[in-house]
mmCIF file of all heavy atoms in Angstrom:
data_model
loop_
_atom_site.group_PDB
_atom_site.id
_atom_site.type_symbol
_atom_site.label_atom_id
_atom_site.label_comp_id
_atom_site.label_asym_id
_atom_site.label_seq_id
_atom_site.Cartn_x
_atom_site.Cartn_y
_atom_site.Cartn_z
ATOM 1 N N LEU A 4 -18.796 -2.756 17.265
ATOM 2 C CA LEU A 4 -19.483 -2.172 16.127
ATOM 3 C C LEU A 4 -19.811 -3.259 15.122
ATOM 4 O O LEU A 4 -18.956 -4.088 14.797
ATOM 5 C CB LEU A 4 -18.609 -1.111 15.452
ATOM 6 C CG LEU A 4 -18.063 0.003 16.347
ATOM 7 C CD1 LEU A 4 -17.023 0.818 15.597
ATOM 8 C CD2 LEU A 4 -19.202 0.900 16.819
ATOM 9 N N ILE A 5 -21.032 -3.242 14.613
ATOM 10 C CA ILE A 5 -21.465 -4.218 13.630
ATOM 11 C C ILE A 5 -22.090 -3.487 12.455
ATOM 12 O O ILE A 5 -23.114 -2.815 12.605
ATOM 13 C CB ILE A 5 -22.464 -5.223 14.227
ATOM 14 C CG1 ILE A 5 -21.843 -5.954 15.414
ATOM 15 C CG2 ILE A 5 -22.913 -6.214 13.159
ATOM 16 C CD1 ILE A 5 -22.791 -6.900 16.114
ATOM 17 N N GLU A 6 -21.490 -3.653 11.284
ATOM 18 C CA GLU A 6 -22.010 -3.036 10.070
ATOM 19 C C GLU A 6 -22.977 -3.975 9.368
ATOM 20 O O GLU A 6 -22.844 -5.194 9.439
ATOM 21 C CB GLU A 6 -20.882 -2.675 9.091
ATOM 22 C CG GLU A 6 -19.800 -1.798 9.665
ATOM 23 C CD GLU A 6 -18.594 -2.590 10.094
ATOM 24 O OE1 GLU A 6 -18.753 -3.762 10.503
ATOM 25 O OE2 GLU A 6 -17.473 -2.050 10.024
ATOM 26 N N SER A 7 -23.906 -3.378 8.641
ATOM 27 C CA SER A 7 -24.808 -4.141 7.800
ATOM 28 C C SER A 7 -25.311 -3.238 6.683
ATOM 29 O O SER A 7 -25.138 -2.027 6.733
ATOM 30 C CB SER A 7 -25.983 -4.708 8.598
ATOM 31 O OG SER A 7 -26.763 -3.666 9.167
ATOM 32 N N GLY A 8 -25.924 -3.836 5.681
ATOM 33 C CA GLY A 8 -26.552 -3.074 4.618
ATOM 34 C C GLY A 8 -25.840 -3.096 3.289
ATOM 35 O O GLY A 8 -26.354 -2.546 2.307
ATOM 36 N N GLY A 9 -24.674 -3.700 3.213
ATOM 37 C CA GLY A 9 -23.968 -3.774 1.953
ATOM 38 C C GLY A 9 -24.655 -4.710 0.982
ATOM 39 O O GLY A 9 -25.568 -5.452 1.332
ATOM 40 N N GLY A 10 -24.208 -4.654 -0.263
ATOM 41 C CA GLY A 10 -24.783 -5.517 -1.277
ATOM 42 C C GLY A 10 -24.264 -5.182 -2.649
ATOM 43 O O GLY A 10 -23.337 -4.384 -2.811
ATOM 44 N N LEU A 11 -24.863 -5.812 -3.635
ATOM 45 C CA LEU A 11 -24.522 -5.606 -5.035
ATOM 46 C C LEU A 11 -25.596 -4.741 -5.675
ATOM 47 O O LEU A 11 -26.777 -5.103 -5.674
ATOM 48 C CB LEU A 11 -24.415 -6.948 -5.756
ATOM 49 C CG LEU A 11 -24.212 -6.910 -7.264
ATOM 50 C CD1 LEU A 11 -22.890 -6.229 -7.606
ATOM 51 C CD2 LEU A 11 -24.266 -8.313 -7.835
ATOM 52 N N VAL A 12 -25.181 -3.608 -6.226
ATOM 53 C CA VAL A 12 -26.108 -2.684 -6.866
ATOM 54 C C VAL A 12 -25.514 -2.202 -8.176
ATOM 55 O O VAL A 12 -24.330 -2.397 -8.460
ATOM 56 C CB VAL A 12 -26.435 -1.478 -5.970
ATOM 57 C CG1 VAL A 12 -27.120 -1.924 -4.685
ATOM 58 C CG2 VAL A 12 -25.174 -0.681 -5.659
ATOM 59 N N GLN A 13 -26.340 -1.553 -8.959
ATOM 60 C CA GLN A 13 -25.890 -0.956 -10.203
ATOM 61 C C GLN A 13 -25.529 0.506 -10.006
ATOM 62 O O GLN A 13 -26.003 1.159 -9.073
ATOM 63 C CB GLN A 13 -26.970 -1.079 -11.276
ATOM 64 C CG GLN A 13 -27.253 -2.502 -11.718
ATOM 65 C CD GLN A 13 -28.255 -2.561 -12.850
ATOM 66 O OE1 GLN A 13 -29.174 -1.748 -12.919
ATOM 67 N NE2 GLN A 13 -28.083 -3.524 -13.741
ATOM 68 N N ALA A 14 -24.694 1.007 -10.888
ATOM 69 C CA ALA A 14 -24.330 2.412 -10.841
ATOM 70 C C ALA A 14 -25.581 3.286 -10.848
ATOM 71 O O ALA A 14 -26.519 3.048 -11.602
ATOM 72 C CB ALA A 14 -23.426 2.762 -12.014
ATOM 73 N N GLY A 15 -25.578 4.284 -9.990
ATOM 74 C CA GLY A 15 -26.713 5.171 -9.850
ATOM 75 C C GLY A 15 -27.676 4.787 -8.748
ATOM 76 O O GLY A 15 -28.518 5.605 -8.357
#
Side-chain angles (χ1 to χ4, degrees):
L4 306 170
I5 302 176
E6 305 98 329
S7 62
L11 174 63
V12 298
Q13 293 184 326

